[in-house]
Amino acid sequence: MATTTKPAGYQFLPPLTPDEYEGLVSDIAIHGVQVPVELDEEGDVLDGHHRLRACAELGIRDYPSIIRYGLSEEEKVEHIVALNSARRHLTRQQRRELAVELGARGWSTRRIASALGVTQPTVRADLEHPGERNLSPDKVTGADGKSYPARRPAVIATSQAERRGALDALKDLPAEQVPGRMTTAKRIEKLARRERAAQRAFTRLGDVSLGESTLWLGDFRERGREIADESVSLIITDPPYDRESLPLYSGVAELAARVLKPNGVLVCYAGQLFLPEIIEMLGAHLDYWWTIALVLDGDHTQVHQRKVQVCWKALLIYVPRGGEAPEWISDLYRSETFWRPDHPWQQSRGVADYLVGRFTQPGDLIVDPMVCTGTVGVATMLAGSRRFLGIDINEKNLSIARENIAAAVDGGEAADSAGPAAARDSHRSRKAL
């Protein structure tokens, strides 16, 4: 029967000799740590005990590391043995002792031979009671009944701060959300931040009403279920433009297909890098109507991976199946650079003013499922006699939106959350379109 007891410090192989260790210290002092230290998600060292000891003696705190996530105790053992047997020369007695220990854990002779780089007859000669149970399959069976390679997630960290951040992040991140491949500490921390936000999102303590404007705290894919069918005239929203956020577009399309009136309109900001995927996701639930080119004056973003300087932004217009947009519009809008005091992704209010004015009537409900700092809500309140519902998963964003919309309700134009330039932009929009 194989044991699953965690070995002390995961140290299976014998320590380096004094001469070997002194050579390692000298090499690290000159060249730094060349082979990453490996840890599990609890921070326990899997491989690199001697390197860590040398770093401590040399006062080195930042060194390359890899965090192996989701391995069973037996998989950790197999990984450690494979790493070290390939790097270190073992005497016959050391190899025999290691083979015996692995055999006691239930490893088959074939598995031990493969890990140690020797033949099965050699292993059999070293073992009195070889085990025959393989506890580390190379393949797993998925929910669809098909066979897939076993996942081997790992996180690369290059400094002490990154290592600590990744270990903390892995504690909060469900196993199914950890990428099944080598990834970076920054990516894991980003995924964990989103998960923490999602866990906080389902409280309603942040909900607030401001005249004809209502703000909900939460994930729009959950809170949006509370919106009545065919009750919304216009949805305007601006999801993040990174690959990880692409599923949000599917969520927006599903929500819009249900809650928009037959002549309702969805206007969705979209980054050009993933435009084909976004169009496909929105088109799975709605009919494409048109695209507005939002031309950006002033400073421009650069997409280095495509060698493009971005000078415009796509505003995709979709309608319910068989529907149509209620008013004529222009598909070109020119927006000057404006002050963003609240959020780096904040959009100019001018285009929101225009869309609310063209696509809605007094009494209509306008929704922004990712309200951010409330630009669409401000435009709705200043248009007059309309209702607004904004949803956001981020408490800080919602707090800023609440302040901006409250100022719009109380003070009209003085509440322009995008600063003085946005007021000029709003005035120009009526001439440009």
Side-chain angles (χ1 to χ4, degrees), residues 187-231:
R187 170 81 185 275
I188 287 294
E189 290 186 74
K190 182 177 181 179
L191 293 174
R193 285 195 298 271
R194 290 187 177 178
E195 175 62 20
R196 294 180 191 119
Q199 293 301 318
R200 296 194 303 267
F202 301 107
T203 176
R204 301 193 180 189
L205 297 177
D207 293 0
V208 63
S209 294
L210 301 163
E212 294 298 315
S213 180
T214 303
L215 297 175
W216 290 348
L217 174 64
D219 189 324
F220 75 87
R221 290 166 291 191
E222 295 293 330
R223 298 301 305 271
R225 296 172 184 172
E226 303 170 43
I227 304 174
D229 294 356
E230 298 188 0
S231 62

mmCIF file of all heavy atoms in Angstrom, residues 187-231:
data_model
loop_
_atom_site.group_PDB
_atom_site.id
_atom_site.type_symbol
_atom_site.label_atom_id
_atom_site.label_comp_id
_atom_site.label_asym_id
_atom_site.label_seq_id
_atom_site.Cartn_x
_atom_site.Cartn_y
_atom_site.Cartn_z
ATOM 1 N N ARG A 187 0.136 36.983 -13.836
ATOM 2 C CA ARG A 187 -1.127 36.470 -14.381
ATOM 3 C C ARG A 187 -1.959 35.815 -13.277
ATOM 4 O O ARG A 187 -3.174 36.017 -13.199
ATOM 5 C CB ARG A 187 -0.813 35.450 -15.484
ATOM 6 C CG ARG A 187 -2.031 34.669 -15.977
ATOM 7 C CD ARG A 187 -2.835 35.454 -16.965
ATOM 8 N NE ARG A 187 -4.047 34.750 -17.325
ATOM 9 C CZ ARG A 187 -4.117 33.809 -18.278
ATOM 10 N NH1 ARG A 187 -3.030 33.492 -18.962
ATOM 11 N NH2 ARG A 187 -5.268 33.220 -18.558
ATOM 12 N N ILE A 188 -1.312 35.041 -12.412
ATOM 13 C CA ILE A 188 -2.024 34.380 -11.322
ATOM 14 C C ILE A 188 -2.604 35.411 -10.360
ATOM 15 O O ILE A 188 -3.748 35.284 -9.892
ATOM 16 C CB ILE A 188 -1.075 33.419 -10.582
ATOM 17 C CG1 ILE A 188 -0.814 32.178 -11.445
ATOM 18 C CG2 ILE A 188 -1.653 32.998 -9.234
ATOM 19 C CD1 ILE A 188 -2.029 31.308 -11.684
ATOM 20 N N GLU A 189 -1.836 36.463 -10.059
ATOM 21 C CA GLU A 189 -2.339 37.504 -9.160
ATOM 22 C C GLU A 189 -3.534 38.220 -9.770
ATOM 23 O O GLU A 189 -4.492 38.567 -9.072
ATOM 24 C CB GLU A 189 -1.219 38.494 -8.838
ATOM 25 C CG GLU A 189 -0.127 37.921 -7.948
ATOM 26 C CD GLU A 189 0.881 38.969 -7.541
ATOM 27 O OE1 GLU A 189 0.546 39.816 -6.694
ATOM 28 O OE2 GLU A 189 2.004 38.947 -8.080
ATOM 29 N N LYS A 190 -3.504 38.451 -11.074
ATOM 30 C CA LYS A 190 -4.617 39.110 -11.755
ATOM 31 C C LYS A 190 -5.871 38.249 -11.683
ATOM 32 O O LYS A 190 -6.971 38.741 -11.392
ATOM 33 C CB LYS A 190 -4.244 39.371 -13.217
ATOM 34 C CG LYS A 190 -5.308 40.098 -14.010
ATOM 35 C CD LYS A 190 -4.821 40.384 -15.427
ATOM 36 C CE LYS A 190 -5.872 41.150 -16.229
ATOM 37 N NZ LYS A 190 -5.386 41.447 -17.608
ATOM 38 N N LEU A 191 -5.728 36.950 -11.921
ATOM 39 C CA LEU A 191 -6.877 36.042 -11.843
ATOM 40 C C LEU A 191 -7.429 35.997 -10.422
ATOM 41 O O LEU A 191 -8.649 35.949 -10.223
ATOM 42 C CB LEU A 191 -6.465 34.643 -12.299
ATOM 43 C CG LEU A 191 -6.099 34.494 -13.776
ATOM 44 C CD1 LEU A 191 -5.576 33.085 -14.055
ATOM 45 C CD2 LEU A 191 -7.303 34.783 -14.668
ATOM 46 N N ALA A 192 -6.539 36.023 -9.439
ATOM 47 C CA ALA A 192 -6.996 35.982 -8.048
ATOM 48 C C ALA A 192 -7.742 37.249 -7.667
ATOM 49 O O ALA A 192 -8.732 37.203 -6.928
ATOM 50 C CB ALA A 192 -5.807 35.760 -7.119
ATOM 51 N N ARG A 193 -7.260 38.410 -8.155
ATOM 52 C CA ARG A 193 -7.977 39.664 -7.860
ATOM 53 C C ARG A 193 -9.392 39.613 -8.406
ATOM 54 O O ARG A 193 -10.341 40.069 -7.760
ATOM 55 C CB ARG A 193 -7.219 40.855 -8.452
ATOM 56 C CG ARG A 193 -5.962 41.239 -7.685
ATOM 57 C CD ARG A 193 -5.460 42.614 -8.089
ATOM 58 N NE ARG A 193 -5.081 42.676 -9.484
ATOM 59 C CZ ARG A 193 -3.862 42.394 -9.935
ATOM 60 N NH1 ARG A 193 -2.922 42.007 -9.102
ATOM 61 N NH2 ARG A 193 -3.593 42.508 -11.228
ATOM 62 N N ARG A 194 -9.545 39.068 -9.609
ATOM 63 C CA ARG A 194 -10.892 38.968 -10.189
ATOM 64 C C ARG A 194 -11.768 38.015 -9.381
ATOM 65 O O ARG A 194 -12.956 38.264 -9.173
ATOM 66 C CB ARG A 194 -10.788 38.488 -11.631
ATOM 67 C CG ARG A 194 -10.195 39.530 -12.559
ATOM 68 C CD ARG A 194 -10.266 39.079 -13.992
ATOM 69 N NE ARG A 194 -9.759 40.109 -14.876
ATOM 70 C CZ ARG A 194 -9.655 39.988 -16.176
ATOM 71 N NH1 ARG A 194 -10.023 38.870 -16.753
ATOM 72 N NH2 ARG A 194 -9.193 40.967 -16.911
ATOM 73 N N GLU A 195 -11.167 36.936 -8.911
ATOM 74 C CA GLU A 195 -11.938 35.986 -8.124
ATOM 75 C C GLU A 195 -12.372 36.609 -6.800
ATOM 76 O O GLU A 195 -13.511 36.433 -6.359
ATOM 77 C CB GLU A 195 -11.101 34.728 -7.870
ATOM 78 C CG GLU A 195 -11.751 33.711 -6.953
ATOM 79 C CD GLU A 195 -13.060 33.150 -7.492
ATOM 80 O OE1 GLU A 195 -13.299 33.246 -8.720
ATOM 81 O OE2 GLU A 195 -13.859 32.638 -6.688
ATOM 82 N N ARG A 196 -11.457 37.352 -6.166
ATOM 83 C CA ARG A 196 -11.841 38.007 -4.905
ATOM 84 C C ARG A 196 -12.969 39.006 -5.130
ATOM 85 O O ARG A 196 -13.899 39.109 -4.323
ATOM 86 C CB ARG A 196 -10.620 38.714 -4.312
ATOM 87 C CG ARG A 196 -9.501 37.774 -3.866
ATOM 88 C CD ARG A 196 -8.327 38.554 -3.288
ATOM 89 N NE ARG A 196 -7.160 37.713 -3.092
ATOM 90 C CZ ARG A 196 -5.987 37.907 -3.686
ATOM 91 N NH1 ARG A 196 -5.833 38.927 -4.519
ATOM 92 N NH2 ARG A 196 -4.979 37.094 -3.438
ATOM 93 N N ALA A 197 -12.882 39.746 -6.230
ATOM 94 C CA ALA A 197 -13.940 40.708 -6.546
ATOM 95 C C ALA A 197 -15.261 39.990 -6.791
ATOM 96 O O ALA A 197 -16.322 40.445 -6.362
ATOM 97 C CB ALA A 197 -13.554 41.530 -7.776
ATOM 98 N N ALA A 198 -15.188 38.849 -7.475
ATOM 99 C CA ALA A 198 -16.410 38.096 -7.758
ATOM 100 C C ALA A 198 -17.044 37.575 -6.473
ATOM 101 O O ALA A 198 -18.273 37.557 -6.329
ATOM 102 C CB ALA A 198 -16.102 36.935 -8.699
ATOM 103 N N GLN A 199 -16.205 37.176 -5.516
ATOM 104 C CA GLN A 199 -16.734 36.679 -4.251
ATOM 105 C C GLN A 199 -17.428 37.780 -3.454
ATOM 106 O O GLN A 199 -18.329 37.520 -2.672
ATOM 107 C CB GLN A 199 -15.594 36.064 -3.419
ATOM 108 C CG GLN A 199 -15.015 34.797 -4.016
ATOM 109 C CD GLN A 199 -16.050 33.718 -4.193
ATOM 110 O OE1 GLN A 199 -16.896 33.497 -3.326
ATOM 111 N NE2 GLN A 199 -16.003 33.042 -5.336
ATOM 112 N N ARG A 200 -16.953 39.026 -3.653
ATOM 113 C CA ARG A 200 -17.596 40.147 -2.943
ATOM 114 C C ARG A 200 -18.818 40.675 -3.677
ATOM 115 O O ARG A 200 -19.573 41.473 -3.146
ATOM 116 C CB ARG A 200 -16.595 41.303 -2.786
ATOM 117 C CG ARG A 200 -15.390 41.004 -1.938
ATOM 118 C CD ARG A 200 -14.671 42.292 -1.578
ATOM 119 N NE ARG A 200 -14.285 43.052 -2.743
ATOM 120 C CZ ARG A 200 -13.109 42.974 -3.346
ATOM 121 N NH1 ARG A 200 -12.200 42.146 -2.881
ATOM 122 N NH2 ARG A 200 -12.839 43.709 -4.403
ATOM 123 N N ALA A 201 -18.982 40.222 -4.908
ATOM 124 C CA ALA A 201 -19.929 40.892 -5.791
ATOM 125 C C ALA A 201 -21.383 40.604 -5.482
ATOM 126 O O ALA A 201 -22.258 41.361 -5.890
ATOM 127 C CB ALA A 201 -19.660 40.503 -7.237
ATOM 128 N N PHE A 202 -21.658 39.541 -4.766
ATOM 129 C CA PHE A 202 -23.043 39.125 -4.648
ATOM 130 C C PHE A 202 -23.744 39.725 -3.425
ATOM 131 O O PHE A 202 -24.867 39.397 -3.122
ATOM 132 C CB PHE A 202 -23.128 37.601 -4.633
ATOM 133 C CG PHE A 202 -22.548 37.012 -5.872
ATOM 134 C CD1 PHE A 202 -21.331 36.369 -5.854
ATOM 135 C CD2 PHE A 202 -23.198 37.147 -7.083
ATOM 136 C CE1 PHE A 202 -20.780 35.863 -7.011
ATOM 137 C CE2 PHE A 202 -22.661 36.642 -8.248
ATOM 138 C CZ PHE A 202 -21.438 35.988 -8.206
ATOM 139 N N THR A 203 -23.066 40.625 -2.725
ATOM 140 C CA THR A 203 -23.732 41.373 -1.677
ATOM 141 C C THR A 203 -24.478 42.554 -2.288
ATOM 142 O O THR A 203 -24.065 43.079 -3.310
ATOM 143 C CB THR A 203 -22.718 41.890 -0.635
ATOM 144 O OG1 THR A 203 -23.405 42.688 0.318
ATOM 145 C CG2 THR A 203 -21.645 42.739 -1.297
ATOM 146 N N ARG A 204 -25.564 42.948 -1.651
ATOM 147 C CA ARG A 204 -26.337 44.074 -2.179
ATOM 148 C C ARG A 204 -26.174 45.314 -1.306
ATOM 149 O O ARG A 204 -26.940 46.253 -1.401
ATOM 150 C CB ARG A 204 -27.807 43.680 -2.273
ATOM 151 C CG ARG A 204 -28.009 42.466 -3.163
ATOM 152 C CD ARG A 204 -29.450 42.273 -3.511
ATOM 153 N NE ARG A 204 -29.600 41.111 -4.362
ATOM 154 C CZ ARG A 204 -30.718 40.785 -4.978
ATOM 155 N NH1 ARG A 204 -31.780 41.534 -4.840
ATOM 156 N NH2 ARG A 204 -30.793 39.713 -5.726
ATOM 157 N N LEU A 205 -25.156 45.296 -0.464
ATOM 158 C CA LEU A 205 -24.965 46.435 0.419
ATOM 159 C C LEU A 205 -24.641 47.694 -0.357
ATOM 160 O O LEU A 205 -24.852 48.803 0.125
ATOM 161 C CB LEU A 205 -23.838 46.117 1.416
ATOM 162 C CG LEU A 205 -24.098 44.947 2.374
ATOM 163 C CD1 LEU A 205 -22.886 44.701 3.251
ATOM 164 C CD2 LEU A 205 -25.332 45.214 3.225
ATOM 165 N N GLY A 206 -24.121 47.562 -1.580
ATOM 166 C CA GLY A 206 -23.737 48.725 -2.358
ATOM 167 C C GLY A 206 -24.852 49.295 -3.212
ATOM 168 O O GLY A 206 -24.648 50.294 -3.885
ATOM 169 N N ASP A 207 -26.016 48.655 -3.256
ATOM 170 C CA ASP A 207 -27.106 49.148 -4.087
ATOM 171 C C ASP A 207 -27.579 50.518 -3.586
ATOM 172 O O ASP A 207 -27.668 50.765 -2.383
ATOM 173 C CB ASP A 207 -28.288 48.178 -4.045
ATOM 174 C CG ASP A 207 -27.952 46.854 -4.710
ATOM 175 O OD1 ASP A 207 -26.822 46.708 -5.199
ATOM 176 O OD2 ASP A 207 -28.826 45.970 -4.737
ATOM 177 N N VAL A 208 -27.875 51.411 -4.532
ATOM 178 C CA VAL A 208 -28.288 52.752 -4.150
ATOM 179 C C VAL A 208 -29.194 53.323 -5.236
ATOM 180 O O VAL A 208 -29.048 52.993 -6.413
ATOM 181 C CB VAL A 208 -27.055 53.671 -3.940
ATOM 182 C CG1 VAL A 208 -26.272 53.827 -5.229
ATOM 183 C CG2 VAL A 208 -27.449 55.020 -3.362
ATOM 184 N N SER A 209 -30.132 54.170 -4.836
ATOM 185 C CA SER A 209 -31.005 54.871 -5.775
ATOM 186 C C SER A 209 -30.732 56.359 -5.689
ATOM 187 O O SER A 209 -30.613 56.933 -4.589
ATOM 188 C CB SER A 209 -32.477 54.598 -5.455
ATOM 189 O OG SER A 209 -32.789 53.237 -5.684
ATOM 190 N N LEU A 210 -30.639 56.992 -6.874
ATOM 191 C CA LEU A 210 -30.393 58.430 -6.956
ATOM 192 C C LEU A 210 -31.406 59.009 -7.934
ATOM 193 O O LEU A 210 -31.161 59.071 -9.134
ATOM 194 C CB LEU A 210 -28.963 58.702 -7.441
ATOM 195 C CG LEU A 210 -27.822 58.123 -6.587
ATOM 196 C CD1 LEU A 210 -26.528 58.117 -7.383
ATOM 197 C CD2 LEU A 210 -27.658 58.938 -5.317
ATOM 198 N N GLY A 211 -32.535 59.400 -7.432
ATOM 199 C CA GLY A 211 -33.588 59.900 -8.308
ATOM 200 C C GLY A 211 -34.030 58.805 -9.270
ATOM 201 O O GLY A 211 -34.487 57.740 -8.847
ATOM 202 N N GLU A 212 -33.894 59.046 -10.569
ATOM 203 C CA GLU A 212 -34.270 58.060 -11.579
ATOM 204 C C GLU A 212 -33.106 57.127 -11.941
ATOM 205 O O GLU A 212 -33.179 56.395 -12.927
ATOM 206 C CB GLU A 212 -34.768 58.773 -12.846
ATOM 207 C CG GLU A 212 -36.054 59.548 -12.650
ATOM 208 C CD GLU A 212 -37.196 58.623 -12.248
ATOM 209 O OE1 GLU A 212 -37.339 57.548 -12.857
ATOM 210 O OE2 GLU A 212 -37.932 58.969 -11.307
ATOM 211 N N SER A 213 -32.054 57.168 -11.149
ATOM 212 C CA SER A 213 -30.874 56.344 -11.402
ATOM 213 C C SER A 213 -30.694 55.333 -10.280
ATOM 214 O O SER A 213 -30.858 55.662 -9.101
ATOM 215 C CB SER A 213 -29.624 57.234 -11.513
ATOM 216 O OG SER A 213 -28.479 56.454 -11.761
ATOM 217 N N THR A 214 -30.375 54.097 -10.649
ATOM 218 C CA THR A 214 -30.154 53.020 -9.684
ATOM 219 C C THR A 214 -28.824 52.352 -9.983
ATOM 220 O O THR A 214 -28.490 52.096 -11.148
ATOM 221 C CB THR A 214 -31.275 51.968 -9.750
ATOM 222 O OG1 THR A 214 -32.537 52.604 -9.538
ATOM 223 C CG2 THR A 214 -31.072 50.889 -8.695
ATOM 224 N N LEU A 215 -28.057 52.066 -8.934
ATOM 225 C CA LEU A 215 -26.779 51.381 -9.078
ATOM 226 C C LEU A 215 -26.800 50.091 -8.273
ATOM 227 O O LEU A 215 -27.216 50.083 -7.114
ATOM 228 C CB LEU A 215 -25.631 52.279 -8.591
ATOM 229 C CG LEU A 215 -25.415 53.581 -9.368
ATOM 230 C CD1 LEU A 215 -24.330 54.414 -8.696
ATOM 231 C CD2 LEU A 215 -25.037 53.290 -10.809
ATOM 232 N N TRP A 216 -26.343 49.007 -8.900
ATOM 233 C CA TRP A 216 -26.286 47.702 -8.250
ATOM 234 C C TRP A 216 -24.838 47.249 -8.163
ATOM 235 O O TRP A 216 -24.079 47.362 -9.136
ATOM 236 C CB TRP A 216 -27.057 46.652 -9.037
ATOM 237 C CG TRP A 216 -28.555 46.822 -9.015
ATOM 238 C CD1 TRP A 216 -29.286 47.646 -8.223
ATOM 239 C CD2 TRP A 216 -29.492 46.113 -9.840
ATOM 240 N NE1 TRP A 216 -30.624 47.522 -8.494
ATOM 241 C CE2 TRP A 216 -30.782 46.577 -9.483
ATOM 242 C CE3 TRP A 216 -29.379 45.152 -10.836
ATOM 243 C CZ2 TRP A 216 -31.946 46.101 -10.089
ATOM 244 C CZ3 TRP A 216 -30.536 44.676 -11.442
ATOM 245 C CH2 TRP A 216 -31.803 45.141 -11.068
ATOM 246 N N LEU A 217 -24.453 46.719 -7.008
ATOM 247 C CA LEU A 217 -23.132 46.129 -6.844
ATOM 248 C C LEU A 217 -23.217 44.642 -7.155
ATOM 249 O O LEU A 217 -24.027 43.925 -6.573
ATOM 250 C CB LEU A 217 -22.628 46.335 -5.409
ATOM 251 C CG LEU A 217 -21.306 45.648 -5.057
ATOM 252 C CD1 LEU A 217 -20.159 46.231 -5.885
ATOM 253 C CD2 LEU A 217 -21.015 45.773 -3.560
ATOM 254 N N GLY A 218 -22.396 44.182 -8.077
ATOM 255 C CA GLY A 218 -22.386 42.762 -8.387
ATOM 256 C C GLY A 218 -21.975 42.476 -9.813
ATOM 257 O O GLY A 218 -21.714 43.386 -10.602
ATOM 258 N N ASP A 219 -21.918 41.212 -10.146
ATOM 259 C CA ASP A 219 -21.619 40.752 -11.496
ATOM 260 C C ASP A 219 -22.894 40.857 -12.329
ATOM 261 O O ASP A 219 -23.932 40.289 -11.958
ATOM 262 C CB ASP A 219 -21.138 39.301 -11.439
ATOM 263 C CG ASP A 219 -20.592 38.802 -12.768
ATOM 264 O OD1 ASP A 219 -21.138 39.186 -13.825
ATOM 265 O OD2 ASP A 219 -19.635 38.015 -12.754
ATOM 266 N N PHE A 220 -22.837 41.561 -13.444
ATOM 267 C CA PHE A 220 -24.059 41.778 -14.241
ATOM 268 C C PHE A 220 -24.652 40.471 -14.734
ATOM 269 O O PHE A 220 -25.853 40.378 -15.007
ATOM 270 C CB PHE A 220 -23.768 42.714 -15.415
ATOM 271 C CG PHE A 220 -23.005 42.084 -16.550
ATOM 272 C CD1 PHE A 220 -23.662 41.411 -17.580
ATOM 273 C CD2 PHE A 220 -21.630 42.157 -16.602
ATOM 274 C CE1 PHE A 220 -22.965 40.821 -18.615
ATOM 275 C CE2 PHE A 220 -20.922 41.583 -17.637
ATOM 276 C CZ PHE A 220 -21.584 40.910 -18.646
ATOM 277 N N ARG A 221 -23.826 39.425 -14.837
ATOM 278 C CA ARG A 221 -24.350 38.142 -15.291
ATOM 279 C C ARG A 221 -25.257 37.501 -14.255
ATOM 280 O O ARG A 221 -26.080 36.648 -14.581
ATOM 281 C CB ARG A 221 -23.185 37.207 -15.642
ATOM 282 C CG ARG A 221 -22.438 37.641 -16.908
ATOM 283 C CD ARG A 221 -21.114 36.949 -17.062
ATOM 284 N NE ARG A 221 -20.153 37.394 -16.059
ATOM 285 C CZ ARG A 221 -18.855 37.096 -16.092
ATOM 286 N NH1 ARG A 221 -18.376 36.360 -17.088
ATOM 287 N NH2 ARG A 221 -18.030 37.532 -15.153
ATOM 288 N N GLU A 222 -25.110 37.929 -12.999
ATOM 289 C CA GLU A 222 -26.013 37.478 -11.929
ATOM 290 C C GLU A 222 -27.105 38.506 -11.667
ATOM 291 O O GLU A 222 -28.296 38.193 -11.704
ATOM 292 C CB GLU A 222 -25.208 37.211 -10.647
ATOM 293 C CG GLU A 222 -24.227 36.068 -10.746
ATOM 294 C CD GLU A 222 -24.912 34.725 -10.903
ATOM 295 O OE1 GLU A 222 -26.037 34.572 -10.388
ATOM 296 O OE2 GLU A 222 -24.337 33.829 -11.550
ATOM 297 N N ARG A 223 -26.700 39.754 -11.425
ATOM 298 C CA ARG A 223 -27.675 40.777 -11.083
ATOM 299 C C ARG A 223 -28.585 41.108 -12.260
ATOM 300 O O ARG A 223 -29.739 41.532 -12.074
ATOM 301 C CB ARG A 223 -26.963 42.063 -10.613
ATOM 302 C CG ARG A 223 -26.114 41.926 -9.365
ATOM 303 C CD ARG A 223 -26.900 41.439 -8.141
ATOM 304 N NE ARG A 223 -28.038 42.247 -7.834
ATOM 305 C CZ ARG A 223 -28.019 43.321 -7.035
ATOM 306 N NH1 ARG A 223 -26.880 43.724 -6.502
ATOM 307 N NH2 ARG A 223 -29.123 43.990 -6.773
ATOM 308 N N GLY A 224 -28.083 40.919 -13.479
ATOM 309 C CA GLY A 224 -28.903 41.206 -14.654
ATOM 310 C C GLY A 224 -30.161 40.363 -14.738
ATOM 311 O O GLY A 224 -31.120 40.730 -15.434
ATOM 312 N N ARG A 225 -30.195 39.244 -14.028
ATOM 313 C CA ARG A 225 -31.395 38.396 -14.020
ATOM 314 C C ARG A 225 -32.587 39.101 -13.382
ATOM 315 O O ARG A 225 -33.738 38.692 -13.590
ATOM 316 C CB ARG A 225 -31.100 37.104 -13.258
ATOM 317 C CG ARG A 225 -30.021 36.244 -13.917
ATOM 318 C CD ARG A 225 -29.640 35.082 -13.025
ATOM 319 N NE ARG A 225 -28.541 34.300 -13.595
ATOM 320 C CZ ARG A 225 -27.909 33.324 -12.975
ATOM 321 N NH1 ARG A 225 -28.263 32.999 -11.734
ATOM 322 N NH2 ARG A 225 -26.930 32.673 -13.563
ATOM 323 N N GLU A 226 -32.290 40.163 -12.623
ATOM 324 C CA GLU A 226 -33.370 40.900 -11.954
ATOM 325 C C GLU A 226 -34.017 41.934 -12.874
ATOM 326 O O GLU A 226 -35.014 42.552 -12.495
ATOM 327 C CB GLU A 226 -32.814 41.579 -10.703
ATOM 328 C CG GLU A 226 -32.169 40.614 -9.722
ATOM 329 C CD GLU A 226 -31.408 41.325 -8.620
ATOM 330 O OE1 GLU A 226 -31.933 42.330 -8.088
ATOM 331 O OE2 GLU A 226 -30.283 40.901 -8.295
ATOM 332 N N ILE A 227 -33.460 42.148 -14.055
ATOM 333 C CA ILE A 227 -34.034 43.101 -15.000
ATOM 334 C C ILE A 227 -35.160 42.412 -15.777
ATOM 335 O O ILE A 227 -34.983 41.293 -16.277
ATOM 336 C CB ILE A 227 -32.962 43.622 -15.981
ATOM 337 C CG1 ILE A 227 -31.790 44.236 -15.208
ATOM 338 C CG2 ILE A 227 -33.559 44.641 -16.940
ATOM 339 C CD1 ILE A 227 -30.627 44.642 -16.087
ATOM 340 N N ALA A 228 -36.286 43.065 -15.896
ATOM 341 C CA ALA A 228 -37.440 42.465 -16.563
ATOM 342 C C ALA A 228 -37.180 42.290 -18.061
ATOM 343 O O ALA A 228 -36.459 43.070 -18.686
ATOM 344 C CB ALA A 228 -38.677 43.338 -16.342
ATOM 345 N N ASP A 229 -37.781 41.273 -18.655
ATOM 346 C CA ASP A 229 -37.673 41.028 -20.089
ATOM 347 C C ASP A 229 -38.229 42.215 -20.875
ATOM 348 O O ASP A 229 -39.243 42.830 -20.497
ATOM 349 C CB ASP A 229 -38.444 39.771 -20.479
ATOM 350 C CG ASP A 229 -37.854 38.506 -19.893
ATOM 351 O OD1 ASP A 229 -36.806 38.602 -19.239
ATOM 352 O OD2 ASP A 229 -38.439 37.417 -20.092
ATOM 353 N N GLU A 230 -37.551 42.554 -21.988
ATOM 354 C CA GLU A 230 -37.996 43.574 -22.933
ATOM 355 C C GLU A 230 -38.378 44.882 -22.241
ATOM 356 O O GLU A 230 -39.387 45.509 -22.557
ATOM 357 C CB GLU A 230 -39.167 43.060 -23.780
ATOM 358 C CG GLU A 230 -38.792 41.849 -24.638
ATOM 359 C CD GLU A 230 -39.883 41.467 -25.603
ATOM 360 O OE1 GLU A 230 -40.948 42.130 -25.615
ATOM 361 O OE2 GLU A 230 -39.685 40.499 -26.364
ATOM 362 N N SER A 231 -37.540 45.308 -21.303
ATOM 363 C CA SER A 231 -37.816 46.535 -20.550
ATOM 364 C C SER A 231 -36.803 47.647 -20.811
ATOM 365 O O SER A 231 -36.975 48.763 -20.318
ATOM 366 C CB SER A 231 -37.825 46.225 -19.047
ATOM 367 O OG SER A 231 -36.554 45.742 -18.626
#
